[in-house]
């Protein structure tokens, strides 16, 4: 067997947790239990998990508006995430950040980011800390195809290249930025852009956990060994709307059905591990059930939790008037 | 000074929402003037997907229909690239076009601030009057949708601070249409801030083209007991308070400046000369704010008329919190406005 059982279990457990977490967030949002704007990560699990399985709490990730999956993959507590996403007391950010600003510094999760392209410059800073303090850690930024068009992202690439920072740039190309396709909005290619900064960049099938896992292993080894930044462009799909409630009129006839049938990274994982004889359907089903139970428990806790206390409005800022 | 504002749309006019009124203004100006163009993210509807290219019309639907009507040469979908959007608008404005650029949320102005503050705002002065920059930056602003810290700011104080920019904040559909047409025809860069909570509010709006000049406040309610100055989404709240107090025999002027740059300070000063009492209601953070500015203008020029300390009802000096109970406490409420009016009336 090419992969240890422990690794396979961990990978599937995390991917199914993310999938079911997002499906449940959609349900709870529709039921009016989640305020605000929520962007779900379902469909892209293989990327977040394939990358973060190589990371420890000391390593740092910088996420996007679509951050739940990155949080879970980085080890954030799902109950505290649910409290946060519901705007409740005790949430990861005390209910003050919400889905778009969820963060957990203890887990090396530098934050979701509601400003497209806001993350990579910050992750350069995390990488600079590591390099300056002589740590062997790596900093990882996640960006979308849409995000790859921001000047901030290109500036971050250049600076990472100039300073040889241990920054792993992960581009998740789901071919959509809201209702704009990469075919229209990205002039040239994403991997080609990264390479233009003299940063190696591999294209990888983002629906295949094992492909992402292997590519990330190589990239992270490169970064940790002081050779500077590395990139991947993962070809993925967005499995749902841009945000929960998106009517998705920009989808083609039968597009979603096709993607769900043929490009679902969980189905692809299951087919691979069962056909290789690495895991059985029963084992996988059990992991599904465990994840469902944990999420159910978190949702019940979230629903029952109190709102943040009124004085939290004035806390965590240097001065209030 | 004018009495336009909410009462100006005559009851015979069709009822339109703020969203429809702005959309109509954009249609009419693009029709009239071929140099008017629109650019921004998904303003034409989105592009490069397998399905409809008209899924959007701006994410809040403000530019809906313009792409199909005027074509993608004049209604331009851009990548996510705010610096390039605003820079292109500013450069085009200097060279013959009248661009209306959309920032989906005013918070994203952080990404493109240089193009506004160092470039567009300064050209006319810096180039000795030899450049004009007739551009409009439309942006959705304000709290109330649980969109949290990076999608809920009110940044009119920052923009009002900058010489060269004009800053418009409509509080109702009638004003929104007239002010948008004025903004497009204006020869300076105009920041047009649309509050999220107002998009679906409606009032009578004429089908005809009309403009509302900048720097002319609207008197939404009249009364000599207290002057309430309110902006944007705070105007309907101030009006509700004024109407409630009127039933008790307390009559307030409710003044909506409509533009914070230029500011109709004359209207405010004239009102305070009569009432002797001022409450300023503004959703922005309080320090170095428009509310603080209005207070200082009144203190400087109408000090002897004041019979009570000025009260400002604003957001606290914090970012916008996510949790609904905290966000509700963040925004100036009718209860806080009412209390402030009672406080200034009670003071001797
Ligand atoms: C600076 C900025 N501009 C625009 C937006 C609005 N917005 C949020 S997500 C998004 C699309 C992002 O696309 P992509 O980077 O491909 O990420 P995906 O949504 O596909 O995960 C846009 C335009 C924003 N949040 N910040
Ligand atoms: Mg995308």
């Amino acid at each position: 067997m090419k992969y240890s059982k422990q690794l396979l279990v961990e990978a599937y457990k995390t991917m199914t947790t993310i999938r079911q977490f997002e499906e449940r967030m959609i349900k709870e949002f529709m039921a009016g239990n989640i305020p605000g704007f929520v962007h779900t990560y379902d469909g892209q699990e293989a990327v977040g998990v394939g990358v973060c399985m190589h990371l420890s709490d000391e390593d740092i990730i910088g996420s996007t508006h679509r951050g739940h999956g990155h949080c879970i993959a980085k080890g954030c507590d799902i109950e505290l995430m649910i409290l946060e996403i519901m705007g409740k007391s005790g949430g990861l950010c005390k209910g003050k950040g919400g889905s778009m600003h969820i963060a957990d510094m203890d887990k090396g999760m530098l934050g979701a980011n509601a400003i497209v392209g806001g993350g990579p410059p910050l992750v350069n800073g995390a990488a600079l800390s590591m390099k300056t303090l002589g740590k062997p850690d790596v900093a990882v930024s996640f960006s979308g195809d849409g995000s790859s068009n921001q000047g901030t992202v290109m500036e971050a690439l250049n600076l990472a290249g100039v300073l040889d920072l241990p920054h792993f740039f992960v581009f998740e190309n789901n071919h959509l930025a809201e209702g704009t396709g990469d075919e229209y909005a990205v002039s040239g290619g994403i991997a080609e852009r990264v390479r233009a900064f003299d940063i190696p960049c591999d294209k990888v099938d983002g629906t295949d956990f094992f492909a992402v896992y292997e590519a990330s292993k190589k990239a992270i080894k490169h970064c940790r060994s002081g050779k500077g930044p590395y990139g991947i462009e993962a070809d993925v799909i967005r499995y749902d709307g841009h945000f929960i409630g998106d009517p998705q009129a920009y989808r083609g006839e039968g597009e979603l059905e096709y993607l769900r049938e043929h490009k679902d990274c969980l189905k692809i994982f299951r087919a691979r591990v069962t056909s290789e004889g690495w895991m059985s359907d029963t084992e996988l089903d059990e992991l599904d059930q465990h994840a469902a139970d944990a999420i159910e428990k978190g949702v019940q806790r979230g629903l029952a939790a109190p709102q943040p206390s009124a004085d939290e409005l004035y806390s965590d800022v240097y001065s209030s008037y | 000074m004018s009495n336009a504002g909410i009462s100006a749309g005559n009851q015979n006019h069709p009822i339109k929402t703020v969203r429809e009124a702005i959309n109509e203004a954009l249609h009419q100006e693009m029709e009239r003037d071929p140099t008017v163009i629109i650019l921004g993210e998904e303003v034409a509807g989105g592009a490069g997907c397998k399905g409809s290219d008209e899924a959007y019309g701006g994410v809040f639907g403000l530019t809906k229909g313009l792409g199909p009507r005027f074509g993608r040469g004049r209604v331009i979908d851009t990548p996510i690239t705010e610096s390039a959007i605003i820079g292109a608008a500013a450069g085009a404005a200097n060279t013959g076009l009248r661009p209306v650029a959309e920032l989906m949320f005013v918070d994203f102005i952080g990404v493109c601030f240089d193009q506004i503050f160092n470039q567009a705002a300064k050209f006319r002065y810096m180039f000795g009057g030899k450049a004009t920059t007739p551009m409009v930056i439309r942006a959705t602003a304000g709290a109330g949708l649980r969109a949290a810290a990076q999608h809920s700011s009110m940044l009119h104080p920052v923009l009002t601070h900058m010489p060269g920019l004009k800053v418009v904040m409509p509080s109702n559909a009638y004003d929104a249409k007239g002010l948008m047409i004025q903004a497009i025809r204006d020869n300076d860069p105009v920041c047009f801030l649309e509050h999220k909570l107002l998009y679906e509010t409606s009032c009578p709006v004429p089908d005809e083209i009309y403009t509302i000049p900048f720097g002319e406040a609207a008197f939404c309610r009249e009364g000599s007991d207290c002057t309430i100055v309110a902006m944007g989404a705070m105007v309907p709240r101030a009006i509700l308070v004024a109407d409630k107090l009127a039933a008790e025999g307390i009559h307030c002027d409710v003044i909506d400046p409509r533009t914070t740059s230029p500011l109709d300070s004359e209207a405010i000063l004239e009102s305070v000369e009569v009432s002797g009492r001022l409450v300023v209601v503004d959703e922005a953070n309080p320090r170095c704010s428009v509310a603080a500015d209005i207070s200082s203008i009144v203190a400087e020029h109408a000090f002897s008329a004041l019979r009570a300390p000025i009260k400002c009802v604003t957001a606290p000096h914090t970012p916008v919190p996510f949790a609904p109970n905290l966000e509700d406490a963040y925004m100036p409420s009718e209860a806080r406005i009412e209390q402030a009016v009672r406080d200034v009336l009670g003071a001797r």
Side-chain angles (χ1 to χ4, degrees):
Chain A
M1 194 153 97
K2 193 168 172 207
Y3 298 99
S4 75
K5 191 58 166 274
Q6 193 193 344
L7 184 143
L8 296 172
V9 167
E10 189 60 30
Y12 188 76
K13 191 182 105 188
T14 314
M15 291 206 297
T16 185
T17 300
I18 296 172
R19 174 66 53 87
Q20 296 185 65
F21 185 94
E22 297 296 48
E23 286 172 349
R24 187 61 184 266
M25 291 305 106
I26 293 171
K27 246 175 92 180
E28 296 304 322
F29 186 96
M30 292 305 185
N33 296 326
I34 296 176
F37 301 162
V38 181
H39 310 82
T40 61
Y41 191 68
D42 45 336
Q44 302 182 198
E45 293 87 345
V47 182
V49 178
V51 170
C52 290
M53 285 202 56
H54 299 285
L55 305 179
S56 76
D57 287 356
E58 308 308 312
D59 299 311
I60 300 278
I61 65 166
S63 176
T64 68
H65 57 288
R66 203 174 297 292
H68 302 172
H70 303 142
C71 281
I72 294 173
K74 195 68 176 44
C76 298
D77 183 298
I78 62 167
E79 293 194 17
L80 302 188
M81 285 179 64
I82 292 170
L83 289 173
E84 186 58 36
I85 293 164
M86 289 184 169
K88 296 300 185 72
S89 175
L92 271 182
C93 309
K94 301 184 186 167
K96 292 164 76 165
S99 169
M100 286 201 293
H101 310 110
I102 194 163
D104 186 353
M105 300 304 284
D106 294 339
K107 292 285 176 190
M109 163 57 189
L110 200 53
N113 208 311
I115 302 300
V116 169
L122 300 170
V123 172
N124 264 350
L128 182 62
S129 290
M130 292 162 181
K131 190 177 172 193
T132 308
L133 300 173
K135 293 181 178 169
D137 306 327
V138 61
V140 182
S141 63
F142 291 93
S143 305
D145 45 299
S147 172
S148 79
N149 298 318
Q150 278 289 31
T152 50
V153 176
M154 303 222 223
E155 292 177 36
L157 282 164
N158 190 48
L159 187 65
V162 167
L163 300 183
D164 285 328
L165 297 175
H167 183 159
F168 179 23
F169 290 86
V170 178
F171 288 91
E172 298 183 75
N173 186 352
N174 60 13
H175 307 284
L176 287 172
E178 294 187 348
T180 300
D182 65 324
E183 208 148 292
Y184 173 80
V186 181
S187 188
I190 295 171
E192 289 75 10
R193 286 179 180 180
V194 178
R195 289 181 201 134
F197 290 99
D198 215 9
I199 297 171
C201 186
D202 300 330
K203 290 194 190 190
V204 36
D205 177 358
T207 65
D208 177 358
F209 165 80
F210 297 101
V212 178
Y213 183 84
E214 294 301 338
S216 303
K217 189 174 175 178
K218 178 174 155 206
I220 289 169
K221 188 170 167 219
H222 175 99
C223 295
R224 286 199 202 281
S225 65
K227 291 185 186 150
Y230 206 102
I232 61 171
E233 177 185 352
D235 188 354
V236 286
I237 61 155
R238 166 142 71 64
Y239 208 84
D240 263 298
H242 172 62
F243 54 92
I244 302 179
D246 179 0
Q248 301 183 68
Y250 48 80
R251 295 277 192 188
E253 181 93 16
E255 179 187 341
L256 260 181
E257 293 71 19
Y258 174 84
L259 294 177
R260 284 168 174 252
E261 189 53 36
H262 300 285
K263 298 276 186 180
D264 177 348
C265 61
L266 267 83
K267 281 187 188 157
I268 292 168
F269 183 96
R270 183 181 280 258
R272 173 84 190 273
V273 296
T274 52
S275 70
E276 299 267 12
W278 296 342
M279 289 179 88
S280 70
D281 276 316
T282 323
E283 281 174 287
L284 295 162
D285 293 346
E286 262 171 35
L287 292 171
D288 287 339
Q289 192 54 50
H290 278 148
D293 293 345
I295 291 161
E296 177 63 30
K297 186 163 158 263
V299 168
Q300 293 313 325
R301 179 171 164 195
L303 292 173
Q307 297 176 326
S309 71
D311 53 359
E312 289 294 359
L313 175 58
Y314 307 100
S315 68
D316 306 313
V317 61
Y318 70 92
S319 167
S320 294
Y321 298 88
Chain B
M1 191 195 316
S2 89
N3 288 326
I6 284 169
S7 56
N10 163 326
Q11 297 309 318
N12 297 326
H13 295 133
I15 302 286
K16 290 166 197 162
T17 63
V18 167
R19 185 172 48 73
E20 290 163 345
I22 293 173
N23 183 264
E24 185 171 281
L26 295 170
H27 268 99
Q28 289 176 332
E29 283 303 283
M30 287 195 77
E31 196 76 61
R32 192 188 61 82
D33 180 352
T35 68
V36 177
I37 63 159
I38 308 263
L39 69 170
E41 293 154 26
E42 277 121 7
V43 290
C49 301
K50 295 196 167 66
S52 169
D53 270 354
E54 286 164 37
Y56 291 91
V59 291
F60 287 98
L62 273 287
T63 54
K64 193 99 191 157
L66 293 165
R69 170 71 188 82
F70 299 102
R72 291 200 170 231
R74 287 180 67 197
V75 185
I76 302 163
D77 277 349
T78 66
I80 307 168
T81 183
E82 283 80 10
S83 283
I85 296 168
I86 300 302
N94 284 339
T95 52
L97 296 181
R98 288 187 177 267
V100 180
E102 175 174 296
L103 287 179
M104 201 178 289
F105 289 82
V106 75
D107 312 68
F108 308 164
I109 211 166
V111 180
C112 55
F113 208 51
D114 178 68
Q115 295 297 325
I116 298 173
F117 153 70
N118 271 316
Q119 313 299 339
K122 293 178 179 172
F123 286 143
R124 181 151 75 94
Y125 188 86
M126 199 163 66
F127 296 167
K130 292 195 177 118
T132 55
T133 313
M135 65 187 281
V136 182
I137 300 170
R138 284 188 39 246
T140 301
L145 286 191
R146 319 315 188 195
Q150 293 175 340
H151 278 58
S152 304
S153 307
M154 284 301 293
L155 296 178
H156 55 282
V158 176
L159 298 165
T160 302
H161 182 73
M162 276 168 212
L165 295 181
K166 291 176 177 163
V167 183
V168 183
M169 290 170 65
S171 69
N172 63 80
Y174 176 87
D175 286 355
K177 178 172 172 180
L179 290 167
M180 176 53 81
I181 294 173
Q182 177 62 36
I184 293 170
R185 296 181 186 184
D186 201 281
N187 279 338
D188 283 318
V190 177
C191 298
F192 194 93
L193 305 177
E194 304 163 4
H195 201 289
K196 302 176 177 73
L197 293 185
L198 296 176
Y199 275 145
E200 298 310 316
T201 62
S202 56
C203 69
V205 177
D207 291 335
E208 296 74 45
I209 293 177
Y210 59 93
T211 58
I212 295 175
F214 292 168
E216 280 197 14
F219 280 69
C220 307
R221 290 294 183 272
E222 295 193 36
S224 56
D225 295 327
C226 178
T227 301
I228 306 176
V229 179
M231 285 154 268
M234 297 299 106
V235 175
R237 293 184 186 200
I239 289 173
L240 280 172
V241 170
D243 288 348
K244 180 179 173 194
L245 293 172
E248 289 178 27
I250 301 168
H251 298 283
C252 302
D253 268 349
V254 176
I255 300 179
D256 172 2
R258 302 195 284 201
T259 60
T260 57
S261 180
L263 176 73
D264 188 354
S265 43
E266 229 171 82
I268 297 167
L269 290 169
E270 277 174 26
S271 172
V272 174
E273 286 293 346
V274 175
S275 70
R277 297 178 161 93
L278 175 65
V279 171
V280 190
V281 188
D282 189 4
E283 188 189 318
N285 303 116
R287 300 280 75 85
C288 294
S289 66
V290 172
D293 191 41
I294 290 173
S295 304
S296 112
I297 290 169
V298 168
E300 198 170 334
H301 300 285
F303 187 74
S304 57
L306 284 173
R307 280 180 272 171
I310 297 163
K311 278 256 172 201
C312 290
V313 184
T314 67
H317 193 60
T318 72
V320 181
F322 170 61
N325 65 316
L326 299 183
E327 189 185 33
D328 290 344
Y330 174 94
M331 290 182 88
S333 62
E334 280 144 39
R336 279 173 58 205
I337 301 168
E338 182 182 333
Q339 190 55 52
V341 175
R342 291 191 190 281
D343 286 351
V344 298
L345 284 166
R348 278 286 146 227

